[in-house]
């Protein structure tokens, strides 16, 4: 402590003798700003004082015993290259086949639906139609599209949550079979209400994860 | 195919996903976890596992039980990852809250009475200020954040609060003027306070 007038560091660190504590109490009584700062920072000192040795010694935790399965979302959209492109096309075809055969692709969760539905009108005539059902728990959405042009060899469709061309997040990718119809359930990485639009774009298989700028369907979330 | 384009944007890098623009490591880890990317749970565990385990050992007083609950906590973190909302709290706070809940569950299971879960929670919360779940939780949040503040500040805090040296002794040991030691102590406190408030979403 410095002299008879304890400073903030003395009080926060508890570096006070009996006279210092009395002086600190007096200063806190007469100096409201000082008192407020002590009260704001004091719990940090309490926490530090109570930390056990493990906390200071950086003791390692036990290793994780089980490792959950990883959902391979958008795995085919890694940086370009001939082999990767082939793998991407193959992966996309597999997703499309699954969607076609099962009528539904569940990428995650139990698919709890019964949430609210956002209509996704076409942005140009003849570009199909769709809707996105945001599940009640907000953790996933089920997209249903119809009359969309089938995916070609070098492209696929991608679903986005979007505020602007620079504020958007990909929800997932899929291919559309000859029927033009797809139902796919995808986990939502962020709360959908944070975004103004749900957007479906057509994307080239070029290894670029950015939005292509070619939107097909779009609906307002509000 | 008939398509329309997004509205014109002056940004020459049109369409770059916001996910690429991340502010810090925690944000990157949180985004990866939410998307359940391969390796993201391991990253989260490496970063936060020590704090949760320290909290659980202190809460449960039994290392074996703490190890079991630790596994439950991170499986739940993985299961609920898509629901994590960074606008509501920091990742540390979110994970520690899960750890708190699982610790209370474990205490309820261990204690035959009372049977009313609400009452059990109240009893746990009444373990006294210093030993209450919230106090222990904040303590381990602070422990976690010690590794995030500048090393020289963390070193001074360690010397004072772990090695139990006075500020004068710290000044002598480090060769710093006493005033500098005190200034850095207060800086460290303020930094930790700010980080805790940000974590809590304040």
């Amino acid at each position: 402590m410095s002299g008879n007038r304890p400073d903030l560091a003395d009080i926060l660190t508890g570096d006070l003798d009996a006279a210092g504590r009395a002086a600190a109490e007096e200063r806190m009584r007469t100096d409201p700003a000082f008192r407020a700062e002590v009260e704001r920072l004091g719990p940090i000192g309490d926490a530090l004082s109570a930390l056990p040795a493990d906390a200071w010694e950086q003791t390692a935790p036990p290793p994780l015993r089980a490792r959950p399965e990883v959902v391979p979302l958008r795995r085919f959209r890694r940086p370009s290259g001939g082999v990767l492109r082939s793998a991407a096309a193959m992966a996309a075809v597999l997703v499309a086949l699954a969607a076609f055969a099962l009528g539904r692709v569940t990428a995650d969760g139990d698919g709890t639906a019964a949430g609210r539905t956002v209509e996704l009108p076409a942005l140009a005539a003849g570009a199909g139609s769709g809707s996105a059902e945001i599940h009640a728990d907000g953790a996933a959405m089920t997209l249903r599209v119809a009359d969309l042009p089938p995916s070609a060899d070098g492209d696929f469709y991608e679903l986005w949550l979007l505020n602007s061309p620079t504020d958007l997040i990909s929800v997932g990718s899929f291919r559309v079979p000859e029927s033009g119809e797809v139902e796919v359930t995808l986990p939502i990485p962020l709360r959908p209400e944070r975004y103004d639009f749900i957007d479906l774009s057509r994307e080239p298989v070029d290894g670029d994860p950015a939005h292509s700028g070619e939107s097909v369907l779009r609906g307002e979330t509000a | 195919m008939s398509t329309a384009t997004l509205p014109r944007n002056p940004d020459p890098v049109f369409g770059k996903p916001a996910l690429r623009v991340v502010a810090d490591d925690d944000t990157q880890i949180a985004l990866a976890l939410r998307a359940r990317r391969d390796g993201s749970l391991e990253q989260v565990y490496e970063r936060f596992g020590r704090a949760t385990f320290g909290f659980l050992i202190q809460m449960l007083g039994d290392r074996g039980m703490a190890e079991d609950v630790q596994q439950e906590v991170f499986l739940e973190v993985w299961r609920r990852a898509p629901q994590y909302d960074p606008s509501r709290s920091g990742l540390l706070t979110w994970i520690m809250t899960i750890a708190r809940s699982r610790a209370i569950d474990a205490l309820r299971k261990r204690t035959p009475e009372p049977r009313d879960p609400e009452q059990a929670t109240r009893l746990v919360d009444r373990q006294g200020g210093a030993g209450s779940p919230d106090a222990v939780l904040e303590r381990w949040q602070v422990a976690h954040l010690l590794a995030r503040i500048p090393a020289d500040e963390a070193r001074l805090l360690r010397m004072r609060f772990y090695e139990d040296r006075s500020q004068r002794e710290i000044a002598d040991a480090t060769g710093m003027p006493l005033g500098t030691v005190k200034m850095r102590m207060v800086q460290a406190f303020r930094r930790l306070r700010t980080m805790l408030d940000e974590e809590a979403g304040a």
Side-chain angles (χ1 to χ4, degrees):
Chain A
M1 181 189 124
S2 24
N4 292 325
R5 187 175 171 80
D7 53 39
L8 193 54
D10 295 332
I11 295 173
L12 294 177
T13 62
D15 198 359
L16 295 164
D17 55 21
R21 275 193 291 277
E25 286 170 11
E26 174 63 15
R27 184 170 179 193
M28 288 178 65
R29 194 178 62 77
T30 57
D31 186 341
F34 184 77
R35 180 191 185 97
E37 188 68 342
V38 170
E39 289 176 348
R40 189 175 79 90
L41 300 177
I44 302 292
D46 295 341
L48 290 168
S49 300
L51 280 182
D54 282 359
W56 297 101
E57 296 299 339
Q58 307 280 318
T59 307
L64 274 178
R65 291 178 202 150
R67 188 177 180 284
E69 291 298 315
V70 174
V71 177
L73 274 179
R74 303 186 63 214
R75 196 55 74 71
F76 57 95
R77 302 205 60 213
R78 290 299 176 239
S80 57
V83 174
L84 284 180
R85 279 186 188 151
S86 299
M90 183 66 75
V93 167
L94 288 175
V95 171
L97 285 174
F100 183 68
L102 303 175
R104 173 188 176 89
V105 174
T106 300
D108 178 54
D110 58 10
T112 307
R116 64 191 177 85
T117 298
V118 176
E119 295 301 325
L120 304 176
L123 292 183
S129 63
S131 65
E133 183 178 3
I134 300 168
H135 293 197
D137 62 4
M141 74 166 76
T142 298
L143 176 74
R144 299 178 182 89
V145 296
D147 302 324
L148 278 183
S151 302
D153 284 346
D155 66 31
F156 58 92
Y157 287 86
E158 185 153 12
L159 190 64
W160 306 82
L161 289 168
L162 178 146
N163 283 324
S164 73
T166 54
D167 183 9
L168 71 170
I169 181 172
S170 171
V171 177
S173 308
F174 59 92
R175 287 175 60 81
V176 174
E178 286 300 323
S179 68
E181 295 182 4
V182 162
E183 178 176 321
V184 56
T185 297
L186 297 163
I188 307 174
L190 290 170
R191 288 165 59 189
E193 58 266 33
R194 293 181 61 187
Y195 292 87
D196 295 332
F197 302 100
I198 296 173
D199 179 278
L200 183 67
S201 68
R202 199 164 189 177
E203 301 285 330
V205 182
D206 59 1
D208 181 359
H211 194 295
S212 65
E214 289 189 38
S215 294
V216 181
L217 310 176
R218 189 182 301 157
E220 293 189 38
T221 57
Chain B
M1 179 178 75
S2 301
T3 60
T5 58
L6 286 165
R8 286 283 176 200
N9 190 297
D11 185 352
V13 286
F14 168 83
K16 293 294 180 189
L19 275 178
R20 286 180 162 185
V21 184
V22 289
D24 54 43
D25 288 349
D26 270 7
T27 308
Q28 281 185 328
I29 289 173
L31 290 172
L33 177 70
R34 235 174 5 202
R36 290 178 167 176
R37 289 190 196 131
D38 199 3
S40 59
L41 184 63
E42 286 79 359
Q43 272 190 308
V44 166
Y45 193 75
E46 184 179 344
R47 197 171 188 87
F48 302 103
R50 197 173 66 83
T52 55
F53 191 58
F55 165 75
L56 291 172
I57 283 188
Q58 209 166 355
M59 277 298 298
L60 302 173
D62 178 322
R63 186 179 178 90
M65 181 184 285
E67 287 186 4
D68 290 341
V69 176
Q70 173 90 337
Q71 306 300 321
E72 291 174 18
V73 167
F74 281 88
L75 284 175
E76 184 168 343
V77 164
W78 180 256
R79 187 168 52 78
R80 291 174 53 187
Q83 298 162 29
Y84 167 62
D85 180 357
S87 69
R88 299 178 69 176
S89 73
L91 191 53
L92 171 66
T93 297
W94 185 69
I95 291 172
M96 293 299 278
T97 303
I98 291 174
R100 181 189 187 280
S101 299
R102 295 293 72 77
I104 290 173
D105 287 348
L107 286 171
R108 283 176 185 152
K109 286 177 193 168
R110 187 172 62 178
T111 309
E113 295 291 342
R115 290 184 181 156
D116 176 2
E118 286 301 314
Q119 190 180 0
T121 305
R122 288 196 295 274
L123 287 175
V124 168
D125 286 340
R126 270 191 228 128
Q127 282 180 345
S132 72
D134 288 339
V136 178
L137 191 132
E138 181 166 276
R139 197 175 301 159
W140 280 94
Q141 284 184 307
V142 169
H144 171 85
L145 295 173
L146 279 174
R148 305 277 173 269
I149 65 175
D152 62 332
E153 292 178 7
R155 180 173 166 237
L156 294 180
L157 292 176
R158 179 189 172 91
M159 293 174 86
R160 173 64 193 138
F161 290 96
Y162 182 49
E163 298 172 11
D164 200 25
R165 301 194 202 194
S166 69
Q167 295 178 101
R168 166 63 65 193
E169 290 169 339
I170 293 171
D172 292 342
T174 60
M176 287 182 196
L178 179 59
T180 303
V181 170
K182 291 185 174 192
M183 182 190 70
R184 291 194 179 172
M185 287 282 192
V186 173
Q187 273 179 347
F189 269 73
R190 287 181 172 145
R191 202 183 304 276
L192 287 169
R193 178 76 272 165
T194 300
M195 292 166 88
L196 270 180
D197 289 345
E198 287 175 354
E199 264 295 327

